[in-house]
Amino acid sequence: MPDITFIGLGHMGAPMAANLLKADFPLKVFDLAPAAMQTAVQLGAMPTPNALHAVMNADIVISMLPASQHVEGLYLGEGRLIHAISPGAIVLECSTISPEVARKVHAAAKARGIHMLDAPVSGGTAGAAAGTLTFIVGGEASDLATARPILEKMGKNVFHAGGPGAGQVAKIANNMLLAIHMIGTAEALNLGVANGLDPKVLSDIMRVSSGGNWSLEKYNPWPGVMNDVPASRDYQGGFGVDLMLKDLGLAMEAALATRTSTPLGAAARSLYALHSNQGKGTFDFSSIQQLFKRPNQDWV
Ligand code: NAD
């Protein structure tokens, strides 16, 4: 059994680490938040006093941190974790970060003989808890072959997107499209309802017509149309507006870096910024439906 170190035990990291413990992997953990550490320790993980201790002699290092600056700071910043990781070890960096930062960490890792994979995930906290995440991986195919059995303890689908940073590119392209069809779905539903249609009837029609899409079919943003989605529980839980805004920011950075035209992605980022600035940052991203709310509408 390889020795695994897990750094970052937040909403996603904690259940991912719990699935590795369930599969009997010896797991060392570190998080800046003592409460996050405590939960993992109760499940059988070994606590470590800091990240440098945590990675010493580890065969596999997994990190799940909030954003680019945390990842760059951890691996290349003051503590220079990359120098404490053993050559030959594998780093699975699962946070959603900029492809550019992912490539920087890849290069530093490679220079030390460390095998790095960027492996952002899709599937949210429910997928993390159920062990059904999708991993979208960038890096060497041979490194992925070694890491695959570990990833499969935390996820159901593992895709090799391409070389270093490719996992992040695929992830942010996907989330940009997700934001666009969520906003489009909310706009279309609102148009129908404003003109007298029942949102469920309209959803049923569009679902099997050319307007059908994942947001409409699996994650309907109109309250009450579907059970068990955030829209039907006051937009609680799910994937937060501020996380979507972060991912759209990453998409815009990648577009700027390559002079790529992303007009709908830019509009989506702007609409999510507006929505967040109206105090909705912690609500599920399908709450963008509320941006279309008309006076005297009674559903929110
Ligand atoms: P989170 O804020 O809940 O957890 C991040 C954890 O990292 C926190 O516990 C924090 O204390 C810890 N941390 C930060 N800097 C650290 C450091 N230097 N050393 C050790 N620990 C450190 O975030 P999350 O929701 O778990 O998301 C993690 C990543 O996964 C993000 O990049 C996010 O975009 C991505 N993601 C999240 C979801 C979701 O639904 N939450 C879905 C897909 C992808």
Side-chain angles (χ1 to χ4, degrees):
M1 281 266 182
D3 282 327
I4 306 180
T5 291
F6 206 116
I7 301 176
L9 304 161
H11 291 102
M12 296 294 289
M16 289 165 73
N19 280 327
L20 292 175
L21 287 166
K22 249 187 245 165
D24 288 333
F25 283 105
L27 199 67
K28 283 190 205 162
V29 291
F30 178 68
D31 193 294
L32 293 175
M37 291 271 279
Q38 212 176 338
T39 312
V41 169
Q42 276 163 3
L43 293 175
M46 192 191 298
T48 54
N50 55 50
L52 285 172
H53 266 85
V55 301
M56 245 170 242
N57 302 320
D59 300 306
I60 303 210
V61 175
I62 305 175
S63 50
M64 192 52 162
L65 305 181
S68 301
Q69 66 271 26
H70 304 96
V71 173
E72 190 167 4
L74 180 74
Y75 287 102
L76 309 180
E78 210 178 313
R80 290 192 69 74
L81 202 65
I82 210 76
H83 284 271
I85 299 172
S86 309
I90 293 186
V91 171
L92 301 173
E93 212 306 293
C94 299
S95 329
T96 304
I97 60 170
S98 82
E100 197 190 332
V101 168
R103 285 185 203 113
K104 246 167 109 172
V105 182
H106 265 277
K110 192 172 179 187
R112 292 249 316 120
I114 296 163
H115 307 278
M116 185 192 160
L117 295 167
D118 48 296
V121 303
S122 170
T125 50
T132 57
L133 290 171
T134 295
F135 286 92
I136 311 165
V137 182
E140 295 294 331
S142 54
D143 294 340
L144 175 55
T146 311
R148 190 177 278 273
I150 312 288
L151 295 174
E152 284 176 347
K153 292 288 182 286
M154 300 180 282
K156 196 169 68 170
N157 299 304
V158 179
F159 289 107
H160 187 211
Q168 299 296 348
V169 175
K171 165 78 185 174
I172 60 181
N174 177 74
N175 278 18
M176 184 178 82
L177 178 58
L178 171 62
I180 291 167
H181 63 60
M182 178 56 81
I183 295 169
T185 299
E187 185 174 320
L189 286 171
N190 194 59
L191 175 69
V193 172
N195 285 275
L197 290 195
D198 177 320
K200 177 144 184 16
V201 171
L202 178 56
S203 294
D204 286 345
I205 294 167
M206 293 197 293
R207 201 161 52 79
V208 292
S209 304
S210 44
N213 69 79
W214 186 92
S215 293
L216 179 80
E217 293 161 33
K218 302 268 203 281
Y219 213 90
N220 199 294
W222 198 282
V225 169
M226 286 178 76
N227 295 324
D228 296 332
V229 290
S232 295
R233 45 173 195 266
D234 204 15
Y235 299 106
Q236 299 300 309
F239 181 54
V241 165
D242 281 345
L243 280 178
M244 176 55 94
L245 187 54
K246 182 194 94 166
D247 290 359
L248 288 166
L250 293 173
M252 294 306 98
E253 277 173 34
L256 268 176
T258 50
R259 288 194 66 198
T260 305
S261 171
T262 50
L264 297 182
R269 198 211 68 84
S270 209
L271 286 167
Y272 271 105
L274 181 66
H275 191 47
S276 175
N277 291 340
Q278 290 180 356
K280 304 291 182 184
T282 59
F283 287 75
D284 178 71
F285 82 111
S286 63
S287 66
I288 197 80
Q289 186 69 68
Q290 294 177 328
L291 210 56
F292 296 92
K293 190 181 173 201
R294 289 145 37 86
N296 307 320
Q297 221 164 12
D298 60 0
W299 51 262
V300 275

